[in-house]
């Protein structure tokens, strides 16, 4: 007899499951081209390490995909997850015009999830998010399978966009 997964495993999308490196040139120029950056998201290749981890975690936990992408990208993000065979899970996204740092918005989402069930693990590629989440008492794994570029860090922590 198998038991239903209890509690949550929370995974970031960009840099954990989706390889965004092909989109970063849009953020490395002045002015930054946010429309082109987000429009190219459906073409993100999957990151094998993250996809495999999501599949393993889904056997024991309910998955939550917690991304700093704006909510207007809900459909393309959900389609991307499905297209690449990611396990079913709840998709939580940054509210429209919420430009706070990812470490702030994600911690807020995690505290809300705790009202429903335990959060057993958080997986993120942003060291600032990892530090904030760990300081708040959550178990966290730094997804370090892709080299981080400064443009992505600025987008997450300074621009509050992903």
């Amino acid at each position: 007899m198998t038991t239903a997964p209890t509690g949550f495993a929370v995974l970031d999308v960009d840099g954990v499951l989706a390889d965004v490196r092909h989109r970063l040139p849009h953020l490395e120029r002045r002015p930054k081209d946010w429309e082109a950056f987000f429009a190219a998201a459906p073409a993100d290749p999957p990151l094998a390490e993250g996809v495999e981890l999501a599949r393993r975690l889904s056997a024991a936990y309910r998955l939550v995909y917690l991304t700093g992408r704006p909510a207007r990208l809900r459909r393309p993000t959900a389609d991307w997850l499905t297209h690449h065979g990611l396990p079913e899970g709840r998709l939580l996204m940054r509210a429209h015009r919420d430009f706070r740092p990812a470490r702030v918005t994600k911690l807020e989402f995690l505290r809300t999830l705790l009202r429903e069930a335990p959060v057993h693990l958080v997986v993120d590629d942003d060291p600032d998010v990892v530090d904030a989440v760990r300081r708040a008492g959550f178990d966290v794994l730094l997804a370090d399978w892709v080299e981080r570029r400064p443009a992505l860090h600025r987008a997450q922590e300074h621009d509050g966009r992903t």
Side-chain angles (χ1 to χ4, degrees), residues 61-75:
Y61 306 111
R62 292 183 284 164
L63 293 189
V64 174
Y65 299 107
L66 174 56
T67 179
R69 291 179 182 189
R72 68 183 173 83
L73 295 175
R74 178 169 300 283
R75 177 54 34 215

Side-chain angles (χ1 to χ4, degrees), residues 74-94:
R74 178 169 300 283
R75 177 54 34 215
T77 302
D79 289 348
W80 186 93
L81 292 166
T82 300
H83 176 75
H84 291 289
L86 273 295
E88 186 176 317
R90 187 184 312 181
L91 178 57
L92 300 177
M93 305 182 79
R94 181 186 297 274

Side-chain angles (χ1 to χ4, degrees), residues 23-149:
R23 296 192 275 143
L24 292 179
H26 298 296
L27 304 184
E28 292 168 339
R29 61 178 66 128
R30 296 288 180 252
K32 294 175 183 174
D33 189 345
W34 290 106
E35 288 305 312
F37 176 77
F38 288 125
D44 290 351
L47 293 166
E49 297 91 337
V51 171
E52 177 56 29
L53 180 59
R55 289 180 179 144
R56 285 196 324 265
L57 290 171
S58 71
Y61 306 111
R62 292 183 284 164
L63 293 189
V64 174
Y65 299 107
L66 174 56
T67 179
R69 291 179 182 189
R72 68 183 173 83
L73 295 175
R74 178 169 300 283
R75 177 54 34 215
T77 302
D79 289 348
W80 186 93
L81 292 166
T82 300
H83 176 75
H84 291 289
L86 273 295
E88 186 176 317
R90 187 184 312 181
L91 178 57
L92 300 177
M93 305 182 79
R94 181 186 297 274
H96 182 61
R97 299 212 180 274
D98 181 351
F99 300 126
R100 294 175 296 160
R103 68 184 179 279
V104 173
T105 59
K106 289 186 176 184
L107 194 53
E108 190 174 280
F109 275 117
L110 291 171
R111 288 182 173 139
T112 300
L113 283 172
L114 272 177
R115 295 181 200 147
E116 291 179 47
V119 174
H120 294 282
L121 181 65
V122 178
V123 183
D124 205 289
D125 67 313
D126 182 339
D128 290 341
V129 169
V130 168
D131 289 344
V133 168
R134 186 173 285 132
R135 279 194 312 274
F138 294 93
D139 286 334
V140 63
L141 172 66
L142 175 65
D144 59 0
W145 35 87
V146 174
E147 178 185 354
R148 286 187 55 77
R149 295 205 350 224

